[in-house]
mmCIF file of all heavy atoms in Angstrom:
data_model
loop_
_atom_site.group_PDB
_atom_site.id
_atom_site.type_symbol
_atom_site.label_atom_id
_atom_site.label_comp_id
_atom_site.label_asym_id
_atom_site.label_seq_id
_atom_site.Cartn_x
_atom_site.Cartn_y
_atom_site.Cartn_z
ATOM 1 N N ARG V 155 57.869 44.504 83.472
ATOM 2 C CA ARG V 155 56.971 44.437 82.310
ATOM 3 C C ARG V 155 56.841 45.803 81.631
ATOM 4 O O ARG V 155 56.688 45.879 80.412
ATOM 5 C CB ARG V 155 55.627 43.834 82.661
ATOM 6 C CG ARG V 155 54.718 44.717 83.447
ATOM 7 C CD ARG V 155 53.334 44.149 83.384
ATOM 8 N NE ARG V 155 52.391 45.024 84.050
ATOM 9 C CZ ARG V 155 51.109 44.777 84.070
ATOM 10 N NH1 ARG V 155 50.630 43.710 83.483
ATOM 11 N NH2 ARG V 155 50.286 45.600 84.687
ATOM 12 N N THR V 156 56.931 46.880 82.415
ATOM 13 C CA THR V 156 56.879 48.200 81.800
ATOM 14 C C THR V 156 58.127 48.418 80.929
ATOM 15 O O THR V 156 58.034 48.941 79.813
ATOM 16 C CB THR V 156 56.776 49.300 82.881
ATOM 17 O OG1 THR V 156 55.673 48.992 83.726
ATOM 18 C CG2 THR V 156 56.582 50.671 82.270
ATOM 19 N N ALA V 157 59.283 48.006 81.451
ATOM 20 C CA ALA V 157 60.533 48.154 80.682
ATOM 21 C C ALA V 157 60.476 47.337 79.391
ATOM 22 O O ALA V 157 60.894 47.799 78.329
ATOM 23 C CB ALA V 157 61.715 47.707 81.539
ATOM 24 N N VAL V 158 59.937 46.122 79.509
ATOM 25 C CA VAL V 158 59.877 45.248 78.327
ATOM 26 C C VAL V 158 58.883 45.807 77.305
ATOM 27 O O VAL V 158 59.188 45.930 76.114
ATOM 28 C CB VAL V 158 59.516 43.799 78.739
ATOM 29 C CG1 VAL V 158 59.193 42.943 77.513
ATOM 30 C CG2 VAL V 158 60.669 43.184 79.530
ATOM 31 N N LYS V 159 57.695 46.187 77.796
ATOM 32 C CA LYS V 159 56.650 46.685 76.879
ATOM 33 C C LYS V 159 57.057 47.985 76.205
ATOM 34 O O LYS V 159 56.788 48.203 75.030
ATOM 35 C CB LYS V 159 55.341 46.924 77.660
ATOM 36 C CG LYS V 159 54.545 45.668 77.865
ATOM 37 C CD LYS V 159 53.064 45.896 78.131
ATOM 38 C CE LYS V 159 52.735 46.809 79.283
ATOM 39 N NZ LYS V 159 51.356 46.645 79.768
ATOM 40 N N SER V 160 57.710 48.883 76.981
ATOM 41 C CA SER V 160 57.971 50.231 76.466
ATOM 42 C C SER V 160 59.284 50.353 75.716
ATOM 43 O O SER V 160 59.505 51.358 75.045
ATOM 44 C CB SER V 160 58.011 51.238 77.618
ATOM 45 O OG SER V 160 56.879 51.101 78.416
ATOM 46 N N ALA V 161 60.184 49.390 75.876
ATOM 47 C CA ALA V 161 61.503 49.566 75.256
ATOM 48 C C ALA V 161 62.158 48.255 74.819
ATOM 49 O O ALA V 161 62.459 48.068 73.637
ATOM 50 C CB ALA V 161 62.435 50.296 76.230
ATOM 51 N N MET V 162 62.370 47.347 75.731
ATOM 52 C CA MET V 162 63.260 46.208 75.454
ATOM 53 C C MET V 162 62.733 45.269 74.366
ATOM 54 O O MET V 162 63.490 44.760 73.550
ATOM 55 C CB MET V 162 63.525 45.424 76.748
ATOM 56 C CG MET V 162 64.358 46.208 77.748
ATOM 57 S SD MET V 162 64.586 45.285 79.282
ATOM 58 C CE MET V 162 65.661 46.400 80.191
ATOM 59 N N LYS V 163 61.395 45.063 74.343
ATOM 60 C CA LYS V 163 60.823 44.138 73.360
ATOM 61 C C LYS V 163 61.076 44.659 71.940
ATOM 62 O O LYS V 163 61.516 43.908 71.058
ATOM 63 C CB LYS V 163 59.322 43.986 73.623
ATOM 64 C CG LYS V 163 58.657 42.929 72.786
ATOM 65 C CD LYS V 163 57.204 42.734 73.206
ATOM 66 C CE LYS V 163 56.506 41.806 72.228
ATOM 67 N NZ LYS V 163 55.077 41.661 72.550
ATOM 68 N N GLU V 164 60.842 45.924 71.751
ATOM 69 C CA GLU V 164 61.031 46.526 70.427
ATOM 70 C C GLU V 164 62.514 46.616 70.066
ATOM 71 O O GLU V 164 62.882 46.399 68.908
ATOM 72 C CB GLU V 164 60.394 47.908 70.418
ATOM 73 C CG GLU V 164 59.984 48.348 69.020
ATOM 74 C CD GLU V 164 59.335 49.727 69.061
ATOM 75 O OE1 GLU V 164 58.382 49.899 69.833
ATOM 76 O OE2 GLU V 164 59.823 50.607 68.317
ATOM 77 N N GLN V 165 63.340 46.886 71.056
ATOM 78 C CA GLN V 165 64.787 46.967 70.823
ATOM 79 C C GLN V 165 65.377 45.587 70.505
ATOM 80 O O GLN V 165 66.462 45.469 69.981
ATOM 81 C CB GLN V 165 65.493 47.473 72.089
ATOM 82 C CG GLN V 165 65.415 48.956 72.322
ATOM 83 C CD GLN V 165 65.930 49.348 73.716
ATOM 84 O OE1 GLN V 165 65.600 50.397 74.209
ATOM 85 N NE2 GLN V 165 66.722 48.497 74.343
ATOM 86 N N ARG V 166 64.636 44.522 70.916
ATOM 87 C CA ARG V 166 65.132 43.151 70.804
ATOM 88 C C ARG V 166 66.432 42.963 71.599
ATOM 89 O O ARG V 166 67.330 42.225 71.186
ATOM 90 C CB ARG V 166 65.349 42.738 69.335
ATOM 91 C CG ARG V 166 64.053 42.540 68.560
ATOM 92 C CD ARG V 166 63.382 41.246 69.086
ATOM 93 N NE ARG V 166 62.299 40.743 68.271
ATOM 94 C CZ ARG V 166 61.009 41.115 68.385
ATOM 95 N NH1 ARG V 166 60.648 42.035 69.244
ATOM 96 N NH2 ARG V 166 60.089 40.542 67.634
ATOM 97 N N SER V 167 66.472 43.612 72.751
ATOM 98 C CA SER V 167 67.604 43.404 73.652
ATOM 99 C C SER V 167 67.284 44.013 75.011
ATOM 100 O O SER V 167 66.480 44.953 75.105
ATOM 101 C CB SER V 167 68.885 44.038 73.109
ATOM 102 O OG SER V 167 68.780 45.440 73.134
ATOM 103 N N GLY V 168 67.910 43.484 76.024
ATOM 104 C CA GLY V 168 67.736 44.044 77.372
ATOM 105 C C GLY V 168 68.332 43.118 78.414
ATOM 106 O O GLY V 168 68.512 41.920 78.172
ATOM 107 N N LYS V 169 68.656 43.704 79.543
ATOM 108 C CA LYS V 169 69.186 42.919 80.665
ATOM 109 C C LYS V 169 68.417 43.346 81.918
ATOM 110 O O LYS V 169 68.408 44.531 82.265
ATOM 111 C CB LYS V 169 70.678 43.226 80.885
ATOM 112 C CG LYS V 169 71.572 42.959 79.666
ATOM 113 C CD LYS V 169 72.038 41.515 79.662
ATOM 114 C CE LYS V 169 73.177 41.280 78.706
ATOM 115 N NZ LYS V 169 72.774 41.262 77.280
ATOM 116 N N ILE V 170 67.780 42.399 82.575
ATOM 117 C CA ILE V 170 67.061 42.694 83.819
ATOM 118 C C ILE V 170 67.737 41.932 84.955
ATOM 119 O O ILE V 170 68.009 40.727 84.825
ATOM 120 C CB ILE V 170 65.574 42.304 83.694
ATOM 121 C CG1 ILE V 170 64.902 43.133 82.586
ATOM 122 C CG2 ILE V 170 64.846 42.502 85.031
ATOM 123 C CD1 ILE V 170 63.482 42.724 82.250
ATOM 124 N N ILE V 171 68.029 42.653 86.017
ATOM 125 C CA ILE V 171 68.702 42.032 87.165
ATOM 126 C C ILE V 171 67.836 42.263 88.403
ATOM 127 O O ILE V 171 67.561 43.414 88.772
ATOM 128 C CB ILE V 171 70.100 42.659 87.375
ATOM 129 C CG1 ILE V 171 70.951 42.473 86.120
ATOM 130 C CG2 ILE V 171 70.775 42.051 88.597
ATOM 131 C CD1 ILE V 171 72.149 43.393 86.045
ATOM 132 N N ASN V 172 67.370 41.191 88.990
ATOM 133 C CA ASN V 172 66.583 41.288 90.219
ATOM 134 C C ASN V 172 67.501 41.041 91.415
ATOM 135 O O ASN V 172 68.294 40.096 91.398
ATOM 136 C CB ASN V 172 65.460 40.247 90.215
ATOM 137 C CG ASN V 172 64.454 40.493 89.108
ATOM 138 O OD1 ASN V 172 64.130 41.639 88.796
ATOM 139 N ND2 ASN V 172 63.970 39.422 88.493
ATOM 140 N N ILE V 173 67.384 41.887 92.439
ATOM 141 C CA ILE V 173 68.204 41.665 93.634
ATOM 142 C C ILE V 173 67.386 40.857 94.645
ATOM 143 O O ILE V 173 66.421 41.355 95.227
ATOM 144 C CB ILE V 173 68.692 42.999 94.248
ATOM 145 C CG1 ILE V 173 69.433 43.838 93.189
ATOM 146 C CG2 ILE V 173 69.595 42.712 95.451
ATOM 147 C CD1 ILE V 173 70.707 43.244 92.615
ATOM 148 N N GLY V 174 67.753 39.601 94.786
ATOM 149 C CA GLY V 174 67.080 38.704 95.728
ATOM 150 C C GLY V 174 67.784 38.715 97.069
ATOM 151 O O GLY V 174 68.185 39.767 97.558
ATOM 152 N N SER V 175 67.989 37.527 97.642
ATOM 153 C CA SER V 175 68.683 37.435 98.936
ATOM 154 C C SER V 175 68.965 35.964 99.240
ATOM 155 O O SER V 175 68.229 35.081 98.781
ATOM 156 C CB SER V 175 67.806 38.005 100.048
ATOM 157 O OG SER V 175 68.359 37.716 101.312
ATOM 158 N N VAL V 176 69.977 35.724 100.061
ATOM 159 C CA VAL V 176 70.164 34.346 100.563
ATOM 160 C C VAL V 176 68.938 33.915 101.368
ATOM 161 O O VAL V 176 68.666 32.721 101.485
ATOM 162 C CB VAL V 176 71.445 34.199 101.427
ATOM 163 C CG1 VAL V 176 72.702 34.323 100.595
ATOM 164 C CG2 VAL V 176 71.451 35.178 102.597
ATOM 165 N N LEU V 177 68.177 34.898 101.891
ATOM 166 C CA LEU V 177 66.977 34.545 102.663
ATOM 167 C C LEU V 177 65.828 34.104 101.753
ATOM 168 O O LEU V 177 64.747 33.776 102.232
ATOM 169 C CB LEU V 177 66.564 35.699 103.583
ATOM 170 C CG LEU V 177 67.581 35.997 104.685
ATOM 171 C CD1 LEU V 177 67.060 37.092 105.634
ATOM 172 C CD2 LEU V 177 67.938 34.751 105.504
ATOM 173 N N GLY V 178 66.062 34.056 100.459
ATOM 174 C CA GLY V 178 65.129 33.403 99.531
ATOM 175 C C GLY V 178 65.396 31.905 99.480
ATOM 176 O O GLY V 178 64.612 31.141 98.910
ATOM 177 N N PHE V 179 66.520 31.485 100.056
ATOM 178 C CA PHE V 179 66.888 30.062 100.054
ATOM 179 C C PHE V 179 66.961 29.496 101.472
ATOM 180 O O PHE V 179 66.521 28.398 101.740
ATOM 181 C CB PHE V 179 68.242 29.873 99.350
ATOM 182 C CG PHE V 179 68.234 30.378 97.945
ATOM 183 C CD1 PHE V 179 68.669 31.656 97.642
ATOM 184 C CD2 PHE V 179 67.741 29.588 96.915
ATOM 185 C CE1 PHE V 179 68.629 32.147 96.348
ATOM 186 C CE2 PHE V 179 67.688 30.062 95.611
ATOM 187 C CZ PHE V 179 68.139 31.350 95.337
ATOM 188 N N MET V 180 67.580 30.280 102.364
ATOM 189 C CA MET V 180 67.647 29.907 103.780
ATOM 190 C C MET V 180 66.579 30.758 104.479
ATOM 191 O O MET V 180 66.363 31.898 104.083
ATOM 192 C CB MET V 180 69.005 30.265 104.383
ATOM 193 C CG MET V 180 70.191 30.018 103.480
ATOM 194 S SD MET V 180 70.693 28.315 103.455
ATOM 195 C CE MET V 180 71.613 28.228 104.970
ATOM 196 N N ALA V 181 65.976 30.250 105.542
ATOM 197 C CA ALA V 181 64.920 31.034 106.197
ATOM 198 C C ALA V 181 65.474 31.891 107.331
ATOM 199 O O ALA V 181 66.597 31.678 107.799
ATOM 200 C CB ALA V 181 63.851 30.103 106.735
ATOM 201 N N SER V 182 64.700 32.883 107.715
ATOM 202 C CA SER V 182 64.968 33.661 108.920
ATOM 203 C C SER V 182 63.739 33.495 109.809
ATOM 204 O O SER V 182 62.620 33.411 109.302
ATOM 205 C CB SER V 182 65.139 35.139 108.553
ATOM 206 O OG SER V 182 64.836 35.957 109.650
ATOM 207 N N ASN V 183 63.928 33.479 111.119
ATOM 208 C CA ASN V 183 62.760 33.364 112.007
ATOM 209 C C ASN V 183 62.208 34.735 112.374
ATOM 210 O O ASN V 183 61.411 34.877 113.287
ATOM 211 C CB ASN V 183 63.092 32.553 113.272
ATOM 212 C CG ASN V 183 64.172 33.225 114.113
ATOM 213 O OD1 ASN V 183 64.697 34.269 113.739
ATOM 214 N ND2 ASN V 183 64.515 32.613 115.232
ATOM 215 N N MET V 184 62.670 35.764 111.654
ATOM 216 C CA MET V 184 62.255 37.137 111.965
ATOM 217 C C MET V 184 61.719 37.887 110.749
ATOM 218 O O MET V 184 61.541 39.094 110.807
ATOM 219 C CB MET V 184 63.450 37.929 112.507
ATOM 220 C CG MET V 184 63.784 37.677 113.961
ATOM 221 S SD MET V 184 62.442 38.095 115.085
ATOM 222 C CE MET V 184 62.490 39.874 115.030
ATOM 223 N N ALA V 185 61.511 37.213 109.604
ATOM 224 C CA ALA V 185 61.108 37.970 108.417
ATOM 225 C C ALA V 185 60.378 37.088 107.414
ATOM 226 O O ALA V 185 60.848 36.856 106.312
ATOM 227 C CB ALA V 185 62.349 38.598 107.759
ATOM 228 N N PRO V 186 59.169 36.602 107.815
ATOM 229 C CA PRO V 186 58.460 35.664 106.925
ATOM 230 C C PRO V 186 58.126 36.281 105.577
ATOM 231 O O PRO V 186 58.274 35.633 104.519
ATOM 232 C CB PRO V 186 57.176 35.358 107.704
ATOM 233 C CG PRO V 186 56.999 36.541 108.627
ATOM 234 C CD PRO V 186 58.381 36.967 108.993
ATOM 235 N N HIS V 187 57.685 37.559 105.614
ATOM 236 C CA HIS V 187 57.307 38.238 104.366
ATOM 237 C C HIS V 187 58.527 38.466 103.478
ATOM 238 O O HIS V 187 58.492 38.233 102.267
ATOM 239 C CB HIS V 187 56.592 39.566 104.646
ATOM 240 C CG HIS V 187 57.055 40.300 105.877
ATOM 241 N ND1 HIS V 187 58.321 40.147 106.415
ATOM 242 C CD2 HIS V 187 56.406 41.190 106.675
ATOM 243 C CE1 HIS V 187 58.430 40.910 107.495
ATOM 244 N NE2 HIS V 187 57.271 41.550 107.679
ATOM 245 N N TYR V 188 59.639 38.890 104.088
ATOM 246 C CA TYR V 188 60.869 39.143 103.334
ATOM 247 C C TYR V 188 61.349 37.845 102.667
ATOM 248 O O TYR V 188 61.666 37.828 101.468
ATOM 249 C CB TYR V 188 61.941 39.693 104.283
ATOM 250 C CG TYR V 188 63.222 40.094 103.604
ATOM 251 C CD1 TYR V 188 63.342 41.327 102.966
ATOM 252 C CD2 TYR V 188 64.328 39.246 103.588
ATOM 253 C CE1 TYR V 188 64.522 41.698 102.340
ATOM 254 C CE2 TYR V 188 65.503 39.613 102.970
ATOM 255 C CZ TYR V 188 65.598 40.847 102.350
ATOM 256 O OH TYR V 188 66.769 41.206 101.727
#
Side-chain angles (χ1 to χ4, degrees):
R155 74 165 184 176
T156 307
V158 169
K159 278 202 305 199
S160 309
M162 292 178 177
K163 187 174 172 184
E164 206 179 306
Q165 281 170 201
R166 289 289 193 272
S167 69
K169 302 272 194 286
I170 298 173
I171 301 162
N172 296 323
I173 305 297
S175 170
V176 290
L177 294 184
F179 302 95
M180 321 280 281
S182 155
N183 62 358
M184 281 300 287
H187 33 25
Y188 185 81

